[in-house]
């Protein structure tokens, strides 16, 4: 790992105060209390934000309820045009957005923050263009019956997002929910609200008051009351499986639909013919090492065929060690810092556990440096353990940090059985030139998304979501918008009515 004496690019010098958006106005919390947002690469305070709680949630939900009738009656393509204008305005502010994302999340600006800002603008463009597709269907019940369906919005949507790709994940709630005619109350993650607030500012230039309301606050104080608010007609959550269950329970109380995008422990299966450099690059990309592996789709269980086990790990070691870990705002950094102290400690505990197991072999990495420039931030070093077993905690739990476990396999059935032996089922990666093996594995793996010979991120149009405890529902796509943010009404008309006067 190359560790640099950083020539530090300018960060925000004085902490600023950011506000929440309720009913078209930028406000503080009713209590006046605040939280701080930290730059995790430097452990400095970037901003203070309102500590939103139930009173703020209630105001925001009421504003969204008031805005709903007019917003839902705007012809869909007109709503779509507003989203297209938001996309243009976002594109003009990508650099500003990238800087904020890097500063508050610790994600490296070149490899993560700028691509996230760019993709976010594209998400608004994609959904803006889909407004005309909010179509219903007609049902052939006979010559004298007209039976048709309408795609109607649900009402006020409550959405809660995490910090790992906050602006993108926020856009994936805002764009489809508003396009479909709903109004929205979105709660940002307490660790990374600033990029979402900038996106909100851009959106608000084009939207009537109350259509989009964005709150800052903690999970329990602000997210809890949002999930329980009786006016909310739909809950959409991205985050941990544990909190996903809390959201689903709250939804069960009132029978409101939920979409859940939760965690993963995704397998990456390398066949014996794939001991090649491009596969190593793909495995590194799939593991999301350049986002400190703080990604729900991280391919964090590496199943290597036994014949290529050592040779593949040698190549992986060389390539990962060439990545530069450093200040998130430095253009030359490939990898940034972990989001906060709690997550940093959690990742270190997993590494420590691996180091203490006599039967695990450390291939590279280990605990973070105790001194030098990297000790000033929450920098975790990419770490690989070999000869691990699929039933260890390291191989079962979502670490959400750069800790990869390598597990050997002999025959395909065994590899697939181990890949499926998880309560998660979000993503998977298969690496081989043999098309038959690749497709057999792709079909047998229990997960919502299988990539063959690539380790890329999601693209607009791709129906993305989890099997098993990785979630419910799909996002990123037309079907995702239709299924998650509309409800179907059937209207059936009997045309066989006797004529008056005959
Ligand atoms: P989290 O699931 O607690 O936080 C996600 C969002 O939920 C945040 O906005 C948070 O304020 C909110 N929240 C938390 N508790 C809530 C509650 N009781 N009611 C309503 N909203 C609540 O995730 P956290 O604590 O930041 O990270 C812990 C672990 O979760 C990570 O180590 C990782 O394993 C997983 N995670 C997975 C993500 C994914 O995209 N799959 C994203 C973030 C975390
Ligand atoms: Mg932070």
């Amino acid at each position: 790992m190359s560790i640099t004496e950083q020539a530090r690019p300018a960060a925000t010098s004085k902490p600023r105060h950011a506000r929440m958006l309720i009913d078209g106005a930028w406000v503080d919390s009713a209590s006046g209390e605040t939280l701080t947002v930290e730059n995790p690469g430097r452990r400095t305070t970037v901003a203070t934000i309102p500590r939103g709680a139930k009173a703020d949630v209630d105001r925001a939900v009421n504003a969204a309820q008031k805005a709903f009738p007019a917003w839902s009656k705007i012809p869909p393509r007109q709503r779509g045009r507003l989203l297209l204008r938001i996309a243009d305005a976002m594109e003009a502010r990508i650099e500003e957005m990238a800087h904020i994302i890097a500063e508050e999340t610790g994600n490296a600006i070149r490899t993560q923050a700028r691509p996230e800002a760019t993709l976010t603008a594209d998400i608004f463009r994609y959904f803006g263009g889909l407004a005309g597709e909010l179509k219903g269907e007609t049902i052939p019940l006979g010559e004298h019956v007209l039976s048709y369906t309408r795609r109607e919005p649900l009402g006020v949507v409550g959405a809660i997002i995490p910090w790992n790709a906050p602006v993108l994940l926020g856009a994936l709630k805002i764009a489809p929910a508003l396009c479909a005619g709903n109004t929205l109350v979105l709660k940002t993650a307490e660790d990374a609200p600033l990029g979402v607030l900038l996106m909100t500012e851009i959106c608000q230039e084009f939207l009537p008051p109350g259509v989009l309301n964005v709150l800052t606050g903690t999970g329990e104080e602000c997210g809890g009351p949002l999930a329980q608010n009786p006016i909310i007609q739909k809950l959409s959550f991205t985050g941990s499986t544990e909190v996903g269950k809390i959201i689903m329970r709250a939804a069960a109380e009132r029978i409101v639909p939920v979409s859940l995008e939760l965690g993963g422990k995704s397998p990456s299966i390398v066949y014996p013919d794939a001991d090649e450099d491009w596969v190593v690059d793909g495995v590194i990309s799939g593991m999301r090492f350049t986002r400190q592996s703080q990604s729900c789709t991280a391919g964090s269980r590496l199943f290597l065929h036994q014949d290529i086990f050592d040779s593949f790990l040698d190549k992986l070691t060389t390539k990962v060690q060439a990545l530069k870990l450093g200040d998130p705002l430095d253009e030359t950094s490939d990898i940034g810092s972990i989001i906060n102290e709690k997550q940093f400690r959690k990742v270190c505990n997993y590494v420590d556990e691996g180091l203490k197991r006599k039967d695990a072999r450390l291939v590279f990495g280990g605990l973070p440096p105790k001194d030098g420039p990297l000790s000033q931030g929450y920098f975790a070093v990419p770490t690989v353990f070999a000869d691990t077993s699929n039933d260890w905690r390291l191989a079962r739990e979502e670490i959400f940090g750069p800790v990869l476990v390598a597990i050997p396999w002999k025959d395909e059935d065994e590899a697939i059985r181990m890949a499926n032996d998880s309560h998660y089922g979000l993503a998977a990666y298969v690496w081989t030139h043999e098309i038959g093996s690749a497709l057999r594995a792709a079909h047998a793996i229990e997960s919502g998304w299988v990539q063959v010979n690539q380790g890329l991120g999601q693209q607009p149009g791709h129906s993305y979501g989890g099997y098993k405890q990785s979630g419910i529902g799909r996002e990123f796509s037309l079907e995702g918008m239709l299924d998650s943010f509309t409800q179907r009404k059937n209207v059936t008309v009997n045309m066989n009515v006797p004529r008056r006067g005959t």
Side-chain angles (χ1 to χ4, degrees), residues 37-38 40 104 191 339:
V37 182
E38 191 186 17
E104 69 176 337
D191 288 300
I339 184 77

Side-chain angles (χ1 to χ4, degrees), residues 131-335:
E133 298 302 317
L134 290 154
K135 294 183 285 201
E137 55 212 0
T138 55
I139 298 103
L141 295 185
E143 280 306 298
H144 301 288
V145 182
L146 170 62
S147 185
Y148 62 97
T149 59
R150 285 162 53 80
R151 290 274 184 185
E152 297 187 347
L154 289 135
V156 181
V157 174
I160 297 174
I161 52 170
W163 39 262
N164 55 334
V167 177
L168 174 65
L169 297 172
L172 284 166
K173 313 291 185 203
I174 298 171
L178 299 196
C179 184
N182 305 281
T183 56
L184 181 66
V185 179
L186 173 75
K187 191 198 86 70
T188 58
E190 48 272 50
D191 288 300
L194 303 175
V196 178
L197 290 174
L198 173 60
M199 170 164 65
T200 305
E201 186 188 315
I202 296 168
C203 291
Q204 193 50 38
E205 282 175 43
F206 303 95
L207 299 173
V211 168
L212 172 64
N213 304 274
V214 176
L215 301 175
T216 57
T218 68
E220 276 180 28
E221 292 168 3
C222 191
L226 181 61
Q228 287 157 19
N229 188 293
I231 293 167
I232 299 274
Q233 293 301 317
K234 155 88 194 187
L235 288 167
S236 177
F237 172 77
T238 303
S240 63
T241 296
E242 192 191 351
V243 176
K245 290 178 187 176
I246 296 175
I247 302 297
M248 201 163 169
R249 273 185 220 117
E253 283 301 316
R254 312 193 309 281
I255 318 289
V256 300
V258 284
S259 303
L260 304 171
E261 292 287 341
L262 309 176
K265 189 74 183 180
S266 298
S268 200
I269 305 178
V270 185
Y271 280 70
D273 67 318
D275 182 21
E276 294 169 24
D277 278 342
W278 66 273
V279 179
V280 178
D281 290 335
V283 163
I284 291 169
S285 161
M287 175 55 184
R288 316 288 188 235
F289 270 130
T290 56
R291 209 196 307 158
Q292 304 76 257
S293 306
Q294 297 174 130
S295 163
C296 38
T297 52
S300 53
R301 288 184 298 151
L302 178 60
F303 293 102
L304 292 173
H305 191 271
Q306 62 177 17
D307 293 351
I308 59 163
F309 196 81
D310 290 326
S311 146
F312 194 93
L313 286 179
D314 285 347
K315 292 190 187 70
L316 185 73
T317 304
T318 308
K319 282 188 185 273
V320 176
Q321 296 208 322
L323 295 172
K324 190 177 134 191
L325 186 57
D327 191 294
L329 290 165
D330 184 338
E331 288 289 336
T332 65
S333 297
D334 297 303
I335 305 177

Side-chain angles (χ1 to χ4, degrees), residues 394-407:
L394 280 172
R396 302 202 71 79
E397 296 177 8
E398 184 178 49
I399 297 176
F400 233 56
V403 184
L404 178 66
V405 292
I407 299 166

